[in-house]
């Protein structure tokens, strides 16, 4: 099975203090660390596990300047065979990004395309699905289990409220992968060094025949949500706080 | 996945000299309460089949205390063989997810705790004294190297602040690196990630050079141990590979050594201290004691405190009971059952009527604090770093 996985490099904002830049159109990035998007890491692991079981190839692709190549090298060290980077700024509009990615994927041989279900920066969760539409292939989003059958894949999707639904999907297809589908392996530093020998192709938008793409979404303004005016911190000892809380609730007619 | 491979551990660690006497297992810090058996793992290393290693998840139980290496009658290094066996698992990516996360965090955030680099200096926020920052152009004779755990763990941050207070009171010309302070890499190496450790040695030696640092005082025996031993070995190794490492002669001391020297020079005396009428027992950290034979300096520092009643564990110095905090154990529960060593340790301290167990290592502080609450001694006993006691008694 030949698999293509799309990956992105995103800032790790789980614990860091996120601040908006002066321009009001981006976050302050200088003190953040950037790593492979968590969902994408699961997608790469899934592709490699499928390759280990059923044979075939894994190609990882990304869009961005040279400094995003480390996540490609890391994916190569995990076991991918080949990497492609489209050399341009990562467009913040998902539609533009999907156009570029589908132009790359179109020229490759593939049975399955994997995306992370969303990316940790904008959490939109649409790029993969847009690409499936542009390629004209079947897709399933939020996939948390894959079982390979003859010519098709049984994919389970995680739905709201803990529901799961299972589809039998004919290949070629595109899945967006949910975290928890597997346990991504550790990639050692010497493994990454050794993976330098694996092929990494760099394409330009013009190589792909892409001119200018009119974005569908433009970022207007970014700001931190203002602190809520209605939040009240109740201080004092446990007894005092409990008494005060009870009187507030009574006052509002809750108790 | 890599093909089944064989590793010649004899080339690396001369394991063919092992006579399977079992002295290592007999002295091991964890064998008593887990399936972990270092003699068995030595045998696996002798046979060299990498596949065998994967069947032994208890390989992550080793605390890297080093006592097996001290005791081996053939002068072998079983504790290093473990590092070698673990590196097979690291290179194949087959490590427990908690170990994976710690290693990835060292690579991404320069600390194993999964915390952002931008919060590494948070321990300094509540400081009421000025401290020089060598990464911001300040100059000082010594770097006080805090380390990851004492930078991020809220309990152990208190030790870092106590260290700053004490050194300031004693008029020592020192500074810190704040957010720019790197991970020393000791735990990365012990978890078998030698590529990551190499990278840290290269980066850190360059960083020390750039900030004009050559004299270092460490809070942690682990940083002390790695700076004084592993950095030299790896520098040589990297240079053989053609990588240029700055020619810095690092002069590194654990803080208890540094303070003992101040006592010798008459710069730290009993006169400078208030009475401290407590019964105190000192717990030897493996990386200071067993691995580096530093037994006297911490005892010397404690002994000059007026009024102190210093008692000793029966198992002390090179026979000290390991607290099970190192060798990656902060990120791996271990397969052992029964009472943890740290709990046994606080019970032993209780029989000695100790009011305080004092330590000189962030990992010991963390594990013994846990042991104290598990054993239910929150009211009757405290665990304190020597720096914390000094901060309390110095006038
Ligand atoms: S103590 Fe040394 S010689 Fe004896 S079994 Fe252990 S490693 Fe082998
Ligand atoms: S280093 Fe300590 S825990 Fe590890 S095998 Fe040796 S004695 Fe056991």
């Amino acid at each position: 099975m030949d698999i293509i996985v799309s990956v992105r490099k995103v800032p790790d904002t789980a614990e860091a203090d996120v601040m908006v830049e002066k321009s009001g159109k981006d976050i302050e990035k200088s003190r953040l660390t950037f790593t492979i998007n968590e969902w994408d890491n699961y997608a790469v692991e899934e592709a490699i596990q499928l390759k280990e079981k059923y044979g075939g190839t894994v190609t990882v692709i990304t869009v961005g300047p040279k400094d995003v190549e480390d996540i490609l090298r890391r994916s190569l060290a995990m076991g991918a065979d080949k990497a492609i980077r489209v050399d341009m700024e990562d467009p913040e509009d998902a539609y533009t990004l999907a156009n570029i990615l589908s132009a790359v994927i179109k020229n490759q041989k593939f049975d399955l395309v994997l995306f992370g279900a969303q990316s940790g920066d904008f959490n939109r969760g649409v790029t993969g699905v847009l690409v499936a539409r542009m390629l004209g292939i079947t897709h399933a989003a939020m996939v948390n289990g894959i079982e390979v059958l003859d010519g098709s894949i049984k994919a389970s999707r995680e739905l709201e409220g803990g529901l799961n639904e299972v589809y039998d999907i004919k290949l070629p297809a595109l899945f967006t992968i949910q975290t928890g589908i597997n346990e991504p392996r550790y990639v050692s530093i010497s493994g990454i060094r050794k993976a330098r020998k694996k092929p990494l192709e760099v394409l330009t938008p013009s190589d792909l025949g892409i001119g200018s793409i009119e974005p569908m979404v433009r970022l207007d303004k970014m700001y931190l949500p203002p602190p809520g005016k209605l939040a009240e911190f109740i201080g004092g000892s446990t007894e005092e706080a409990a008494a005060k809380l009870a009187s507030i609730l009574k006052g509002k007619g809750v108790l | 996945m890599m093909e089944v491979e064989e590793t010649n551990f004899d080339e690396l660690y001369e394991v063919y000299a092992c006579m399977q006497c079992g002295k290592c297992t007999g002295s091991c810090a964890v064998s008593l309460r887990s399936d972990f058996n270092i003699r068995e793992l030595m045998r696996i290393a002798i046979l060299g089949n990498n596949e065998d290693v994967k069947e032994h998840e208890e390989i992550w139980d080793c605390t890297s205390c080093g006592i097996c290496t001290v005791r081996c009658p053939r002068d072998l290094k079983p504790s290093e063989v473990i590092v070698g066996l673990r590196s097979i698992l690291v290179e194949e990516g087959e490590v427990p997810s908690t170990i994976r996360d710690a290693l990835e965090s060292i690579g991404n955030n320069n600390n194993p705790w999964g915390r952002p680099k931008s919060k590494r200096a948070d321990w300094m926020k509540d400081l009421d004294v000025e401290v020089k920052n060598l990464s911001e152009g300040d100059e000082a004779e010594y770097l006080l190297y805090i380390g990851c755990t004492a930078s991020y763990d809220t309990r152990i941050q208190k030790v870092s602040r106590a260290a700053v207070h004490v050194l300031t009171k004693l008029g020592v010309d020192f500074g810190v690196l704040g957010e720019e302070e790197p991970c020393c890499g000791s735990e990365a190496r012990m978890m078998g990630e030698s590529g990551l450790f190499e990278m840290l040695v290269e980066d850190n030696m360059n960083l020390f050079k750039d900030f004009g640092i050559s004299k270092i005082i460490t809070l942690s025996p682990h940083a002390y141990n790695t700076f004084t031993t592993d950095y030299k070995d790896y520098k040589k190794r990297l240079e053989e590979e053609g990588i240029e490492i700055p020619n810095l002669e690092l002069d590194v001391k654990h803080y208890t050594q540094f303070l003992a020297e101040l006592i010798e020079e008459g710069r730290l005396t009993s006169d400078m201290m208030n009475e401290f009428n407590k019964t105190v027992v000192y717990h030897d950290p493996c990386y200071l004691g067993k691995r580096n034979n530093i037994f006297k300096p911490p005892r010397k520092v404690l002994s000059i405190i007026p009024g102190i009643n210093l008692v000793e564990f029966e198992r002390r110095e090179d026979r000290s009971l390991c607290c099970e905090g190192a060798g990656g154990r902060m990120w791996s529960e271990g397969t052992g059952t029964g009472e943890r060593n740290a709990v046994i340790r606080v019970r032993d301290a209780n029989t000695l009527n100790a009011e305080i167990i004092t330590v000189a290592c962030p990992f010991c502080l963390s594990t013994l604090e846990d042991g104290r609450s598990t054993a239910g001694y929150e009211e009757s006993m405290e665990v304190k770093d020597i720096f914390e006691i000094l901060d309390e008694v110095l006038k």
Side-chain angles (χ1 to χ4, degrees), chain B residues 17-24 39 42 71-74 76 78:
Chain B
C18 169
M19 57 183 178
Q20 287 285 297
C21 68
K23 218 173 163 196
C24 46
R39 173 162 52 166
M42 283 300 287
R71 297 274 168 83
C72 174
R74 282 286 168 96
L76 303 181

Side-chain angles (χ1 to χ4, degrees), chain A residues 157-233:
Chain A
R157 295 184 57 219
E158 192 199 353
L159 301 182
E160 293 79 358
L163 276 180
N164 255 333
E165 61 178 20
V166 180
Y167 283 99
D168 196 339
I169 296 178
K170 282 222 159 47
L171 297 179
L174 183 149
F175 297 161
T176 74
I177 300 295
Q178 181 61 300
T179 54
I181 187 171
N182 52 43
E183 192 62 85
R185 68 200 64 193
Y186 178 67
V187 195
S188 76
I189 299 294
S190 71
I192 294 173
R193 270 190 215 127
K194 281 182 204 141
R196 280 191 197 137
K197 291 195 198 99
K198 289 191 175 178
L200 192 159
E201 196 183 341
V202 181
L203 299 173
T204 60
S206 61
D207 291 337
L208 295 164
I210 294 175
S212 76
I213 301 165
E214 189 56 31
M216 289 185 75
V217 177
R218 245 183 252 280
L219 179 72
D220 188 27
K221 179 169 128 185
M222 209 181 251
Y223 61 95
L224 293 170
K229 289 193 188 74
L230 291 172
E232 184 184 344
F233 287 95

Side-chain angles (χ1 to χ4, degrees), chain B residues 28-30 36 38 62-68 79:
Chain B
C28 176
V30 292
F36 178 83
I38 177 65
C62 168
T63 69
S64 73
C65 72
I67 190 65
C68 49
S79 51

